[in-house]
Amino acid sequence: GALVYQYPRRTICKSGTSMRMECQAVGFQATSVAWYRQSPQKTFELIALSTVNSAIKYEQNFTQEKFPISHPNLSFSSMTVLNAYLEDRGLYLCGARTGHQNTLYFGAGTRLSVL
Amino acid sequence: GDSVTQKQGQVTLSEDDFLFINCTYSTTTYPTLLWYVQYPGQGPQLLLKVTTANNKGISRGFEATYDKGTTSFHLQKASVQESDSAVYFCALVDPSSFSKLVFGQGTSLSVVP
């Protein structure tokens, strides 16, 4: 079946530093990857959508300068949170799907804490 | 813009009780509707989806009917178990981008033995 792995599962960084998180799709080709952030209140924010061989589309309030994303092949994507501050805390979720499907499969997320 | 509303923030039931979680949506398109379940420490897992109006999705004893007339997609289960305790999210898929989901606020279900 389709599986999405994210690592690290948890990370703590000092305010103003950066951290990178990774997303691996197993058992299917992740032609599209969506990065979401889930707040402590459980609400979801879409950060960006990435499709292999296409430009990455960032949602309003999120930029490439702050959340650079790499999606080099059909099984892997990474995102970095640059200059993290308290408001960047949350659970970062990677959702992946293959081209002809309209179902996103999510990983367990990377929980970011900022000191 | 599109929106999904779940009125119930928290539901507490006893085992074998009937479950009903309210979900309504607003959109100008013809979306696919989904329910995701999120267990503690995990990401959302797809529970069921329905792509066509008036159809019903069924999975693991849960069911939901895509009601275009009332713009609703309520989740039901006849008899809940303690293992069903989790947060349930109703969502719609933006047909212009299958990766763009609009989530409801989530309903936290607690089932006590």
Side-chain angles (χ1 to χ4, degrees):
Chain A
L3 292 172
V4 177
Y5 292 100
Q6 287 187 253
Y7 36 91
R9 291 291 305 274
R10 295 177 181 272
T11 186
I12 302 172
C13 66
K14 289 185 177 180
S15 183
T17 64
S18 303
M19 71 82 50
R20 180 171 179 262
M21 55 191 75
E22 299 182 344
C23 174
Q24 184 94 28
V26 177
F28 70 107
Q29 295 183 327
T31 53
S32 294
V33 170
W35 286 93
Y36 286 81
R37 180 171 67 196
Q38 188 177 28
S39 70
Q41 294 74 33
K42 302 294 186 187
T43 57
F44 293 88
E45 295 176 279
L46 176 61
I47 298 171
L49 298 175
S50 173
T51 303
V52 172
N53 298 324
S54 296
I56 297 170
K57 296 180 182 178
Y58 286 84
E59 291 293 292
Q60 197 171 10
N61 301 325
F62 296 95
T63 65
Q64 182 181 7
E65 290 71 31
K66 172 72 175 178
F67 299 95
I69 290 169
S70 173
H71 188 184
N73 56 54
L74 294 173
S75 63
F76 182 81
S77 178
S78 66
M79 183 176 74
T80 300
V81 181
L82 296 174
N83 300 316
Y85 289 99
L86 283 176
E87 58 265 29
D88 296 319
R89 291 173 303 173
L91 182 66
Y92 287 82
L93 293 161
C94 167
R97 66 176 184 86
T98 196
H100 61 276
Q101 289 189 342
N102 64 356
T103 302
L104 270 185
Y105 295 96
F106 287 96
T110 294
R111 186 168 297 283
L112 173 63
S113 300
V114 181
L115 301 178
Chain B
D2 296 342
S3 67
V4 176
T5 301
Q6 292 176 243
K7 292 183 178 178
Q8 302 146 290
Q10 193 151 356
V11 173
T12 301
L13 297 172
S14 298
E15 279 197 325
D16 298 323
D17 279 354
F18 171 73
L19 171 69
F20 180 91
I21 298 180
N22 183 288
C23 171
T24 56
Y25 65 91
S26 174
T27 179
T28 57
T29 61
Y30 297 92
T32 290
L33 299 175
L34 314 98
W35 277 99
Y36 280 91
V37 56
Q38 186 174 25
Y39 298 99
Q42 298 186 24
Q45 300 173 16
L46 182 67
L47 179 59
L48 55 85
K49 76 171 181 180
V50 180
T51 56
T52 308
N54 301 323
N55 279 8
K56 180 188 290 187
I58 300 174
S59 174
R60 298 190 250 164
F62 292 89
E63 62 177 59
T65 300
Y66 183 156
D67 189 329
K68 192 179 174 188
T70 59
T71 62
S72 67
F73 192 53
H74 309 313
L75 183 69
Q76 302 181 59
K77 187 176 186 184
S79 174
V80 293
Q81 302 302 309
E82 194 175 355
S83 58
D84 293 325
S85 298
V87 182
Y88 292 81
F89 293 94
C90 183
L92 65 80
V93 180
D94 184 336
S96 68
S97 169
F98 289 150
S99 298
K100 196 167 184 177
L101 302 177
V102 177
F103 287 92
Q105 300 87 338
T107 298
S108 178
L109 171 66
S110 180
V111 181
V112 296

